Amino acid sequence: MDRTTLDILLLSLGVFVLLIALTMLGEGLRARVPQGRTNPVVEAFMMRVNSWWALVITLALAVLIGRVGVILLFAFASFAALREFLTYARKARADHLSLALACFVILPLQYLFVALDWTGLLTVFIPVYAFLLLPIVSALRGDASDFLGRVAQTQWGLMICIYCLSLVPALLTFDMPDGSDRSILLIVFFIMVVQFGDLFEYYAGRQFGRRRIAPDLSPKTIEGVIAGVLAAAVIGGVLGWITPFGMMGAAAMAALASFTGLLGSLVFAAIKRDRGVKDWSHLIPGHGGFLDQLDSVIFAAPVFYHVTLFVWG
């Protein structure tokens, strides 16, 4: 067993221990609620912890499989997220070919570029070439009704569901300073700090938060965001040994990723409010769909990827 695989197993064990502790904490909070009543905050917290169990197990298995497992996992997540997004996007019959190209040509090509380590192409393919191609395909169908709105929403779907998410497995292309193959651990680090930051923000914001950031969009509070970012920084510092950042650098990167992700979730809240929906889908009872689970990851991924490359590359 090589060092990277051993570290993945140790990390998985550590996360399982942490999830067990969070599960016990939630059950303890449940026990303090008077019999016959429920605490909505505690119940929502437990549902998040339960969904985390599934996420951690899936990610751990993909990471243990290696590059192929990670790329396929995020390709599937991109497809599912794009399907959810397009469900609520404006579209016409003239856009059907564009949407088919997005799902069955552009998405596979983007992840193929990730698999081939074509860093230059994977960073411009969707923002430049897909941006130009799909409006041409729709325009050739001759329907100009709400053309700009339809095209813009399709482009948004490509950017957030394919491009941004693909930059998570694109961390595999990062050349570690010591020449090792441990770049896969950067993905574990990134997912953990963003998702645990979300978890702590949710609980702290509901229990202790007083000042809402955007009262008409989200219950997120300034106190909750501060708690989430600080928790992510602490977890990042503890996990600094699996990164090339060092302890302080890892804490800073974790705080940056968590803060960006928390702000990104506000953007998704605004989109859902505009579309008149609470959740993107009902795939996960009480927690919506893929986009509801990955909204923070989607916005944090480009920032984390580019800062990693430009500062530590």
Side-chain angles (χ1 to χ4, degrees):
M1 182 182 299
D2 59 24
R3 179 186 171 191
T4 301
T5 303
L6 179 60
D7 286 343
I8 292 171
L9 291 174
L10 290 175
L11 277 173
S12 300
L13 178 60
V15 173
F16 288 147
V17 170
L18 180 58
L19 285 175
I20 291 172
L22 290 173
T23 302
M24 294 175 65
L25 171 64
E27 293 297 341
L29 293 172
R30 271 179 174 171
R32 295 173 59 183
V33 178
Q35 189 173 6
R37 300 177 60 185
T38 59
N39 186 324
V41 175
V42 174
E43 294 305 315
F45 175 80
M46 286 301 297
M47 291 181 70
R48 283 176 175 254
V49 172
N50 291 336
S51 66
W52 245 89
W53 276 103
L55 175 63
V56 167
I57 292 172
T58 303
L59 181 62
L61 291 175
V63 170
L64 286 172
I65 292 172
R67 290 174 58 92
V68 174
V70 171
I71 292 172
L72 289 177
L73 173 64
F74 280 92
F76 173 77
S78 282
F79 181 83
L82 183 62
R83 181 177 178 276
E84 291 177 352
F85 185 89
L86 293 178
T87 300
Y88 297 102
R90 296 175 187 169
K91 45 191 175 294
R93 190 169 187 174
D95 301 320
H96 289 179
L97 180 57
S98 296
L99 299 178
L101 289 173
C103 293
F104 303 112
V105 177
I106 292 174
L107 189 155
L109 281 176
Q110 177 71 6
Y111 280 92
L112 177 63
F113 299 151
V114 172
L116 295 175
D117 289 356
W118 290 1
T119 305
L121 192 52
L122 71 88
T123 54
V124 301
F125 174 59
I126 290 176
V128 178
Y129 298 108
F131 180 87
L132 298 174
L133 172 65
L134 294 190
I136 294 174
V137 174
S138 291
L140 288 173
R141 306 301 294 272
D143 185 356
S145 61
D146 194 27
F147 181 79
L148 185 58
R150 288 162 27 215
V151 167
Q153 291 188 35
T154 301
Q155 296 290 0
W156 254 86
L158 291 178
M159 286 297 295
I160 63 177
C161 300
I162 304 177
Y163 178 75
C164 291
L165 268 182
S166 71
L167 293 183
V168 180
L171 289 167
L172 294 168
T173 66
F174 177 74
D175 294 325
M176 297 292 282
D178 59 0
S180 68
D181 62 348
R182 293 167 58 81
S183 58
I184 197 169
L185 293 174
L186 287 176
I187 296 174
V188 178
F189 174 86
F190 169 72
I191 296 295
M192 287 182 63
V193 297
V194 171
Q195 294 288 5
F196 274 114
D198 266 5
L199 188 63
F200 280 96
E201 179 276 326
Y202 180 85
Y203 183 73
R206 272 59 173 185
Q207 288 292 93
F208 314 112
R210 296 294 180 267
R211 294 168 293 177
R212 291 193 176 188
I213 298 175
D216 294 332
L217 291 180
S218 169
K220 289 187 186 300
T221 63
I222 294 176
E223 295 84 358
V225 168
I226 292 174
V229 171
L230 289 177
V234 171
I235 294 171
V238 171
L239 295 176
W241 57 277
I242 68 173
T243 74
F245 311 142
M247 185 176 72
M248 296 305 296
M253 289 291 285
L256 176 64
S258 178
F259 182 66
T260 308
L262 290 171
L263 292 180
S265 65
L266 288 177
V267 175
F268 278 91
I271 297 173
K272 288 191 290 185
R273 182 63 58 89
D274 176 61
R275 298 290 88 185
V277 297
K278 181 179 182 295
D279 297 316
W280 288 101
S281 75
H282 302 290
L283 178 68
I284 306 172
H287 285 284
F290 276 86
L291 281 173
D292 296 290
Q293 297 299 306
L294 297 174
D295 51 5
S296 297
V297 170
I298 285 170
F299 261 72
V303 175
F304 187 87
Y305 173 81
H306 287 113
V307 173
T308 298
L309 261 64
F310 292 146
V311 177
W312 281 278

